[in-house]
Amino acid sequence: MLNKTLMAADPEVYRLIEKETERQNQNAEMIASENFASKAVMEAMGTTLTNKYAEGLPGKRYYGGCKFVDVVEDLARDRAKSLFGADWVNVQPHSGAQANAAVYLAMMKPGDKLLGFDLSHGGHLTHGSPVNFSGILYEAHFYGVEKETGRLDMNKIRDKAKAVKPRMISIGASAYTRDFDYEAFRDIADEVGAFLWMDMAHTAGLIAAKQLNNPLPWAHVVTTTTHKTLRGPRGGMILIGRDTENTLGVVAPKSGRVKNWGEVLDGAVFPGTQGGPLMHVIAAKAVAFGEALQPDFVTYQQQVIKNAQAMGRVLTELGYELVSGGTDNHLLLIDLRNKNVTGKDAENLLGRAEITVNKNMVPFDTQSPFVTSGIRVGAPAMTTRGMKEPEFEYLARLLDKAISKPTDEAVHDSVAAEVKALCERFPLYDFISI
Ligand SMILES: *Cc1c(COP(=O)(O)O)cnc(C)c1O
């Protein structure tokens, strides 16, 4: 993959990429939002398609010379549609946040109300954070999990929705370990006259493999990233289950015809929030969706859940408190308050021991977002390397060793050596160590 042209042309950058590849190969990558894309996906990204301007959509471009990239984009769209059971899809968003920006532009006017998942309970910045455009341009209100259960209570969400009367309700999170009841959310949205938007950035791969509920039959619009559990290139996507006439009255300029939701959202991506699409990344999305349509992708996603649950069981035995008591998906949220260590310190201790996680707020956290009381641990990346329950149980014990001996450098050195030995048994890419 790393080829000799780059080594000769720019040894400085070449060397850094090589070092980063070694780093990825030699540590336990347990950041829940990360994964390892296949060589085929990466190869598609490093191609001539990066040279092409293709503003517009297949068959309706603002530039000539699009006959091949049109087919590429159609392939990506068709594969995404069959993967999720969608009527309509746009594969052009450069990232998850860009996909979400297009949804806001299509569905809301500045000042309109959003009801979203509380950020400190697992929600995402783009669901109304005061430092993000979503909280700056729109009036954000939040629902959250119950203190006793760590889970959502649909009756409380209904009450909140009735009180707020939002224009849009968002579902989706970066640190929630349970599945969502989309039908109940749609009921609430219909009752208060709101749009329902699901952001499945974290769980798209699990949903594609039918290991979690599919939101497409219930949400008006669904967004995702393509690089988390879906294991594709870094990017975003928007989908609609059943594409119907929009209720905002947006009409086609010439004919006066009422546009479908898909057309409204296409316009919100380009020209609404983006310029030219990244055709090399769209090619890589097509490759990744092709991989996700294969039977072994289902086996992979099943293993992701088994691994997260195996790790959760051992951590519970070791006295760790898991928010919501466990997990239905690919991640664990660990409340470290009974272990007398902050999320920030745990992240650093684990980093020294070559286990990469991120500090994370837990619901009703008593620490600031820079310190936090928890860590988030995810199974997708190490499962891609081929690890199964025994390795995840072992990783749980290593994690505990590193955290419970905060000042013992010898312990951290020995854990780091054990992690390295484990990683060597599960090589990441065969082009490593060139
Ligand atoms: C990761 C994530 C995003 C943002 O994706 P980027 O590609 O980093 O912009 C949006 N929403 C949720 C729920 C996420 O987890």
Side-chain angles (χ1 to χ4, degrees), residues 349 352 402-412:
L349 291 169
R352 288 224 303 269
I403 287 181
S404 52
K405 295 273 188 311
T407 54
D408 193 335
E409 300 231 341
V411 166
H412 293 114

Side-chain angles (χ1 to χ4, degrees), residues 33 94-100 122-127 171-175 197-203 223-228 234-236 376:
S33 50
H94 303 329
S95 69
Q98 286 293 110
N100 294 354
H124 189 260
L125 275 177
T126 53
H127 296 212
I171 326 173
S174 308
W197 158 41
M198 166 62 183
D199 177 354
M200 58 174 184
H202 258 261
T203 49
T223 55
T224 185
T225 62
T226 49
H227 51 274
K228 298 182 184 175
R234 191 157 290 279
R376 189 184 66 161

Side-chain angles (χ1 to χ4, degrees), residues 108 275 391 419:
M108 309 254 278
E391 289 80 30
V419 169

